[in-house]
Amino acid sequence: MTASLKTLFFAGLVLLEIAAMSSVINAGPLPKIFIGKTHCGLFTAVNVERAKESKETGIPGIYTLAYRITFDANAVLPELNNRRFTVVGQRGEGIEAGALGLEDWLPTVAGEIRVLAFDADNFTHAKYATYLGGGNEARLVWRDCELFAATARPAMGLDPTKVAQTLASSPPPLVTFFRLTADYDRSVWQNEEALRAFAGYLENSAVTQLDRRNVLAHYFALPASASKDALRNLSTGMVNLAFELMRTDQIPISGVMLERMRAFFETAPGIYAFKPPELSNQVRDALIQLLASEDSGATEGTRKSLKGWLLGH
């Protein structure tokens, strides 16, 4: 065999090996980054069929009604060739029917929009999907899904720099972004760039106070290690959010911020690992009132501990 023929022979073997590797990779399972699902989609119900009669559940006044819905996907992450899905499911009917835990998010008329996380190979029953949003908020929820997907690195967690950039973007992400983040990779807050960006997010008036409070209460995990400066930035954001909530007569919700601050930053009874954030006179006066109020919902121990740390009393 001549040298040129040998070269072509071995080049052919390399190409075959690459092709074989590619087929294995493509045949492998997709990463489940959307709350344990492989895909996320923005769907419109194009056909809604319901059973003629509801079924009794054994609970007085509560029934179930079977549905068959045909969805068209307006957009899917990651991309799919198939854009039409037909699923079956059940909605609860009657007072407190939500306690049944059925698929009450199912559309009742054609044209309704839903954002769903799903597995493309197992999306025949609504119970296999996770509802993320719908109605008037569907487009905002979908934007959060797109922002999240842009920060995700399959099998490698979230890109902290991209997360920080996303938190500083305009308009900023909303609750669904953090819901997806918390499920996929809470360790991203170990990165100080991302943690500082989150502290700034807590003070972003472009996001409603309640949404910022819910993000902190439900979808944020304090990193196991962070610099004192980064933690101080976070405490500043939390204090200012508590002040905003109090200023708008949401004192019980402000109390949640107090409990979080103590849980996050107290290292021993009454001992904190870093100096308290600097307070304006207005915020300081409000904190004096808040920490003295039983209406805040914070325990007496929390109010006493934070009073000593934040106010030096």
Side-chain angles (χ1 to χ4, degrees), residues 65-296:
L65 189 61
Y67 281 79
R68 178 186 172 93
I69 313 291
T70 301
F71 286 111
D72 273 357
N74 303 311
V76 178
L77 293 170
E79 281 290 339
L80 277 176
N81 291 328
N82 180 26
R83 290 299 189 95
R84 173 160 289 193
F85 298 88
T86 299
V87 301
V88 297
Q90 296 184 84
R91 288 176 58 102
E93 305 284 334
I95 299 175
E96 298 184 359
L100 296 175
L102 299 176
E103 300 83 43
D104 294 339
W105 52 264
L106 283 168
T108 56
V109 295
E112 291 187 0
I113 299 175
R114 297 290 184 266
V115 181
L116 305 171
F118 66 101
D119 290 323
D121 61 353
N122 189 26
F123 189 31
T124 55
H125 197 293
K127 67 182 178 182
Y128 299 131
T130 298
Y131 173 72
L132 297 177
N136 295 332
E137 296 184 348
R139 299 288 176 178
L140 293 175
V141 170
W142 177 246
R143 179 177 179 272
D144 271 6
C145 295
E146 291 180 311
L147 291 174
F148 166 77
T151 69
R153 302 172 298 181
M156 295 177 62
L158 299 174
D159 183 322
T161 297
K162 289 184 178 180
V163 169
Q165 293 170 347
T166 299
L167 296 187
S169 64
S170 181
L174 302 177
V175 174
T176 301
F177 174 84
F178 293 95
R179 180 183 175 188
L180 294 168
T181 298
D183 181 80
Y184 182 58
D185 181 19
R186 291 194 176 206
S187 70
V188 70
W189 308 120
Q190 298 279 2
N191 179 275
E192 293 208 359
E193 183 182 11
L195 183 59
R196 291 178 189 276
F198 181 76
Y201 181 88
L202 293 180
E203 299 187 65
N204 191 338
S205 60
V207 183
T208 67
Q209 297 164 359
L210 187 58
D211 276 355
R212 282 177 278 156
R213 176 265 181 196
N214 287 342
V215 164
L216 184 66
H218 301 298
Y219 302 120
F220 175 76
L222 187 71
S225 62
S227 72
K228 292 181 180 180
D229 284 344
L231 292 175
R232 196 161 183 259
N233 285 345
L234 179 60
S235 69
T236 299
M238 294 176 70
V239 166
N240 288 332
L241 177 54
F243 169 68
E244 285 187 53
L245 290 166
M246 182 182 178
R247 189 175 56 182
T248 53
D249 297 324
Q250 300 183 77
I251 290 179
I253 299 178
S254 299
V256 173
M257 295 295 99
L258 300 181
E259 294 290 354
R260 286 291 187 276
M261 273 189 276
R262 185 186 184 192
F264 284 173
F265 308 129
E266 187 184 56
T267 57
I271 304 299
Y272 291 77
F274 55 94
K275 292 181 180 180
E278 294 183 7
L279 307 174
S280 67
N281 290 335
Q282 187 180 24
V283 171
R284 185 180 182 84
D285 290 344
L287 279 177
I288 291 173
Q289 180 182 347
L290 180 61
L291 291 170
S293 173
E294 294 182 357
D295 294 336
S296 69

